[in-house]
Amino acid sequence: MTFPDGSTRTFARGVTGFEIAESISKSLAKAALAVMIDGAPADLSQPIESDCSLKILRREDPEALELIRHDCAHIMAQAVQELFPGTQVTIGPNVENGFYYDFARSEPFSTEDFAAIEKRMHEIVDSATPIVREVWDRDQAIAYFKDKGETFKAELIADLPGGESIKVYRQGDWLDLCRGPHMPTTKLTGHGFKLMKVAGAYWRGDSSRDVLTRIYGTAWRDEKELQAHLTQIEEAEKRDHRKLGRELDLFHLQDEAQGSVFWHPKGYTVWLALESYIRRRIRAAGYVEVKTPQLMDSRFWEQSGHWGKYRENMFVVPDVVPNTEDGGKVFKEEPKHFMALKPMNCPAHVQIFNQKVRSYRDLPLRMAEFGCCHRNEAHGALHGLLRVRQMTQDDAHIFCREDQIESECTAFCDLLEKVYADLGFTDLTVKLATRPAVRAGSDDVWDRAEQGLRDALMSAKLDYVEAPGDGAFYGPKLEFHIRDAIGRSWTCGTIQLDFVLPERLDAYYVGEDGQKHHPVMLHRAILGTLERFIGILIENYAGKLPLWLAPVQCVVATITSEADSYAQKVLETLKAAGIRAELDMRNEKINYKIREHSVQKVPVLFVVGAREAEGGTVAIRRMDDIAQPVEKMDEAVKALAVTCAPPF
RNA sequence: GCUGCUGUAGCUCAGUGGUAGAGCACUCCCUUGGUAAGGGAGAGGCCGACAGUUCAAUCCUGUCCAGCAGCACCA
């Protein structure tokens, strides 16, 4: 047996983790929860049959949390089945910060049931019931669960691979099919858990199958850790972009335009600052910018394939003159022709590409558009700025030759990284989504495309995870994910290779050989959509946007009305220097004004009273800094203008 | 779209089977105050929409709409 410190010891075949722990020390045996055998968790009671590396898991080990959470899921399931007879158990895995368990019950649970369930859970923990692992015969297991009316469990067992042994964990009278491992007794779970929410979830994630009731819980080593987690959730909720959007007067949403954003002056100022920044970036990177129609005939979408494959997400508009009679039907006759709001920009960009004969010398052609798209997203999917129906993408399509894919992808990753760094995002997850089962194009092309993306990630030094089968039918893609305040991960940037659309829309260029060839299209966006990205920005900065993005960069606040005319002059100077500034001459005390603008997260305040007016100075107060240096007004404005400059 | 929860003033939230309250914000008055809320007065609500039960509904029931959480889908 090899231990984590590198030492080795010899034990008899069939020794258990618990016996090994005991042989080391009594206290270790007492603290032991489970073992890691060659890096895989296992029960303390499991006999070890061969040489291996072994680690005894104790409460303070990171892996212990996994055990606690999974045991906790079992304890919850036991409590639920005791309190609500007739409830079927299904699956109950760990998730980040906790666990869930999906139950099948005619009447769904509500959060009002939590108190009773939690109470019973605490009792089960205190009962210190031993958790015992058993290996069952497959058919016997299926029969047992069927007999108990546990049809979902029976289905699970029936679907397990033939060779796999059926493991069951028993705690008292209750048992559950489970891969394990578990800790020796229910006592070890401790009391650092709490049930969080109920939700519907489809059996096996399939929306055509039964809806189960899912109960989510969070679990930690002790009550203190639990409390810390709950506090963290509260803090995160404070930076929710929907809350900050209202408080900072950036935007609003309303029933009559669900999923579409009303940008207020301040929010749109952020938008424009961000858009201009991206525009400068892509111009420097060799893109040309275009603008294409919002509304196009259905035959256009038929040709692009969207009418067949994407129509349920499109807003379709009948191409007829409406009936104008009061109280009459909207249309006198059944519409024969339809138009649709564009859900994507790509087919329109191909039209521009196709307007003339292109040479291989023209490639790569990088065509960008701040394209406003509409997608009829499911009601339940909508979420503030992060999931909307009207979105503006910082979209572009790169038409290139196959041999240019890698260099274009590399250049894109470089550009994206620079932009994300400028915007304060360094913690992003990159996902490489590879070929799905149903796809267009030969395996040879897919091989090269996927490798091209890997190489691009490599040369951009980006870590990534592969998501096999998650690619689009027309090509593989990279997705750049950023987390929101509540920990949910959203795709922002993306690059997708497409071998299908150029062929479908008959895009071609004349190659060196004088023959027609279809270009490859790279669909790519850095921010993704301005809506989502601004939402993420707000949360990332908790509303305290960097100076260059702040809607109001400086407020001039007067102390007395004697300083009014001087304050006007300060404002004019700020504006002349290109700074977004406002003037607060209200009949309020300076304390009040400071508080209000602090709450509004204005980065810089110029406070002026009689003294400043007299000396031609300003008292500067920066956000989160109580210092109040007094400087000559002209110099202060000049210095501020420098710090307000965008990063590019 | 599915499951559950929620819907009272611009915002945050109390509340009752007899058509409503608080704080902040808003308007006016007093106050000219030196770095996170000065004082007073006033105005503001078809209690999400539509049905039903009831002498009477913001409150009970149902349907719908929207929001929230999760699922499914996705930038």
Side-chain angles (χ1 to χ4, degrees), chain A residues 427-462:
Chain A
D427 181 23
L428 67 156
T429 314
V430 187
K431 207 165 92 178
L432 168 60
T434 57
R435 68 193 78 185
V438 181
R439 57 181 181 267
S442 70
D443 283 354
D444 177 50
V445 173
W446 276 89
D447 285 342
R448 274 178 287 150
E450 288 168 5
Q451 198 49 46
L453 288 177
R454 278 191 203 98
D455 293 343
L457 287 166
M458 193 76 86
S459 67
K461 294 193 179 63
L462 285 166

Side-chain angles (χ1 to χ4, degrees), chain A residues 579-636:
Chain A
I579 294 165
R580 296 188 288 270
E582 286 182 358
L583 177 54
D584 184 355
M585 298 196 298
R586 288 175 304 171
N587 176 15
E588 295 291 351
K589 293 198 167 163
I590 193 62
N591 282 352
Y592 182 91
K593 295 183 184 180
I594 302 254
R595 175 181 156 77
E596 188 168 290
H597 297 120
S598 300
V599 168
Q600 285 292 307
K601 306 187 196 304
V602 174
V604 180
L605 297 183
F606 280 2
V607 177
V608 295
R611 291 207 296 266
E612 287 74 17
E614 181 78 16
T617 59
V618 290
I620 304 165
R621 182 176 168 129
R622 289 176 178 274
M623 186 155 48
D624 295 332
D625 184 359
I626 50 163
Q628 35 186 297
V630 177
E631 289 178 21
K632 282 283 177 200
M633 191 260 280
D634 288 341
E635 284 161 29

Side-chain angles (χ1 to χ4, degrees), chain A residues 93-261:
Chain A
N94 280 357
V95 289
E96 197 170 12
N97 303 326
F99 60 90
Y100 68 79
Y101 211 114
D102 285 347
F103 299 100
R105 183 180 177 231
S106 50
E107 184 154 336
F109 296 103
S110 94
T111 46
E112 284 167 20
D113 300 319
F114 282 6
I117 299 171
E118 283 179 351
K119 180 165 172 272
R120 182 68 194 126
M121 288 172 71
H122 287 295
E123 288 165 8
I124 295 169
V125 169
D126 288 334
S127 73
T129 307
I131 304 175
V132 184
R133 175 178 192 266
E134 297 174 6
V135 178
W136 285 19
D137 172 73
R138 183 195 193 80
D139 295 333
Q140 180 200 338
I142 296 174
Y144 173 83
F145 284 106
K146 269 202 177 138
D147 183 51
K148 278 184 65 181
E150 298 274 5
T151 55
F152 291 95
K153 269 294 182 217
E155 183 184 329
L156 276 181
I157 299 169
D159 286 356
L160 285 177
E164 206 159 303
S165 57
I166 308 301
K167 277 157 284 186
V168 163
Y169 282 81
R170 184 190 288 278
Q171 53 202 47
D173 296 333
W174 188 86
L175 55 80
D176 191 12
L177 168 78
C178 183
R179 187 181 296 127
H182 284 276
M183 299 184 290
T185 86
T186 56
K187 179 90 182 164
L188 295 161
T189 302
H191 294 281
F193 62 82
K194 182 174 163 53
L195 302 188
M196 301 299 283
K197 49 200 171 195
V198 288
Y202 299 110
W203 170 233
R204 301 199 148 175
D206 184 341
S207 58
S208 66
R209 304 193 67 173
D210 298 71
V211 175
L212 309 171
T213 307
R214 175 172 297 180
I215 300 181
Y216 282 91
T218 186
W220 301 84
R221 290 183 185 81
D222 52 43
E223 282 100 324
K224 204 173 146 196
E225 277 190 14
L226 170 67
Q227 195 48 53
H229 173 66
L230 297 177
T231 308
Q232 198 192 329
I233 292 175
E234 268 174 46
E235 287 305 309
E237 280 167 359
K238 284 185 197 156
R239 50 167 71 200
D240 188 311
H241 75 280
R242 293 164 297 186
K243 187 173 151 67
L244 287 167
R246 186 171 51 238
E247 288 171 359
L248 305 183
D249 196 16
L250 300 174
F251 65 88
H252 85 269
L253 296 154
Q254 68 184 51
D255 291 2
E256 292 80 1
Q258 34 173 307
S260 299
V261 185

Side-chain angles (χ1 to χ4, degrees), chain A residues 17 33 97 150 258 330 340 349 399 412 418 459 577 601 640 646:
Chain A
L33 304 177
N97 303 326
E150 298 274 5
Q258 34 173 307
V330 180
H349 289 185
F399 297 86
F412 172 73
K418 280 182 195 146
S459 67
K601 306 187 196 304
L640 182 57

Side-chain angles (χ1 to χ4, degrees), chain A residues 343-364:
Chain A
M344 299 179 191
N345 307 301
C346 32
H349 289 185
V350 177
Q351 306 312 306
I352 295 178
F353 184 88
N354 285 355
Q355 283 309 105
K356 58 182 176 184
V357 177
R358 305 283 178 177
S359 153
Y360 71 94
R361 296 172 201 277
D362 297 331
L363 304 185

Side-chain angles (χ1 to χ4, degrees), chain A residues 38-53:
Chain A
D38 290 331
D43 293 295
L44 272 183
S45 60
Q46 190 172 318
I48 299 166
E49 303 292 349
S50 58
D51 290 358
C52 63
S53 73

